[in-house]
C-alpha cells in the first residue's frame, strides 16, 4: 500500500535559486517564482508546511509586459482615510518602483494567510544584476 508523505517543518531542506528577469514577462515570471516559493516543484510538497525554497530575482527593472498595459493597467492602494485612494500605472511602477512591481505580482499568486506571509519573506528582488547572496551559492532557475 502506498502512503502519502506529509513533511514536517523540521525535515524541510531549502535551496536557493536565482532568476534573471531581463526580458521575461511579468506574469510568467511571477507564476514560476510563486511555485518555487511554495514548494510545488518538489515531490515532498505539503500544503500546510513552508517547504518552498528561497528565490532571488535580479534585473527587476528589465521585466517586460505585453500589450498596452503601459498606461491602461493601474495599481490601486488606499490609506484608509477619506480621499486616500492612490493609483499608479504599470509604466510608472516599472520606471520608479520596479522591485515593488515584481513583489506585488508574486504576492498575488501566494496564499493570503499566515503561511503566505512567511513564504513571502523568502523572496529577494533586486533592481540591478548585483545581489549580496553569493555565499548561499544560488542555483540558476530556468
Amino acid at each position: 500500500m502506498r502512503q502519502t508523505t506529509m513533511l514536517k517543518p523540521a525535515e524541510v531542506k531549502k535551496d536557493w535559486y536565482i532568476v534573471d528577469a531581463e526580458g521575461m514577462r511579468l506574469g510568467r515570471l511571477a507564476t514560476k517564482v510563486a511555485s518555487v516559493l511554495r514548494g510545488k516543484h518538489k515531490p515532498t510538497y505539503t500544503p500546510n508546511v513552508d517547504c518552498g525554497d528561497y528565490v532571488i530575482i535580479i534585473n527587476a527593472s528589465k521585466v517586460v509586459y505585453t500589450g498596452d498595459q503601459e498606461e491602461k493597467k493601474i495599481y490601486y492602494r488606499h490609506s484608509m482615510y477619506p480621499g486616500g485612494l492612490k493609483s499608479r500605472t504599470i509604466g510608472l511602477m516599472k520606471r520608479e518602483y520596479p522591485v515593488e512591481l515584481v513583489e506585488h505580482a508574486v504576492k498575488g499568486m501566494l496564499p493570503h494567510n499566515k503561511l503566505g506571509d512567511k513564504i513571502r519573506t523568502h523572496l529577494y528582488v533586486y533592481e540591478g544584476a548585483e545581489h549580496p547572496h553569493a555565499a548561499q551559492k544560488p542555483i540558476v532557475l530556468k
Side-chain angles (χ1 to χ4, degrees), residues 13-123:
K13 181 189 175 291
K14 293 186 175 284
D15 295 322
W16 284 75
Y17 289 97
I18 187 166
V19 180
D20 188 1
E22 184 173 0
M24 291 186 74
R25 292 184 180 163
L26 180 62
R28 293 183 185 269
L29 168 72
T31 54
K32 184 64 179 171
V33 168
S35 179
V36 172
L37 284 170
R38 189 84 197 271
K40 289 190 168 187
H41 65 291
K42 295 182 178 182
T44 57
Y45 169 70
T46 307
N48 62 327
V49 175
D50 177 19
C51 55
D53 296 320
Y54 293 89
V55 178
I56 305 162
I57 299 176
I58 57 173
N59 291 325
S61 60
K62 297 178 182 173
V63 73
V64 296
Y65 36 85
T66 58
D68 55 355
Q69 296 181 37
E70 184 84 24
E71 297 301 323
K72 286 192 175 181
K73 184 169 176 72
I74 300 174
Y75 289 102
Y76 295 100
R77 65 191 202 292
H78 201 285
S79 66
M80 304 309 284
Y81 286 99
L85 182 66
K86 310 284 185 192
S87 62
R88 293 179 185 164
T89 62
I90 197 169
L92 176 74
M93 291 282 284
K94 185 179 177 188
R95 282 191 306 274
E96 297 183 18
Y97 311 100
V99 173
E100 288 180 26
L101 176 67
V102 175
E103 285 176 347
H104 188 276
V106 174
K107 178 183 176 182
M109 296 181 186
L110 291 174
H112 302 292
N113 54 24
K114 290 180 183 180
L115 180 62
D117 294 341
K118 185 175 182 189
I119 292 172
R120 221 171 290 124
T121 63
H122 299 161
L123 175 67

Side-chain angles (χ1 to χ4, degrees), residues 130-142:
E130 291 81 29
H131 63 89
H133 305 286
Q136 281 75 23
K137 298 182 180 130
I139 305 163
V140 176
L141 187 66
K142 302 273 181 200

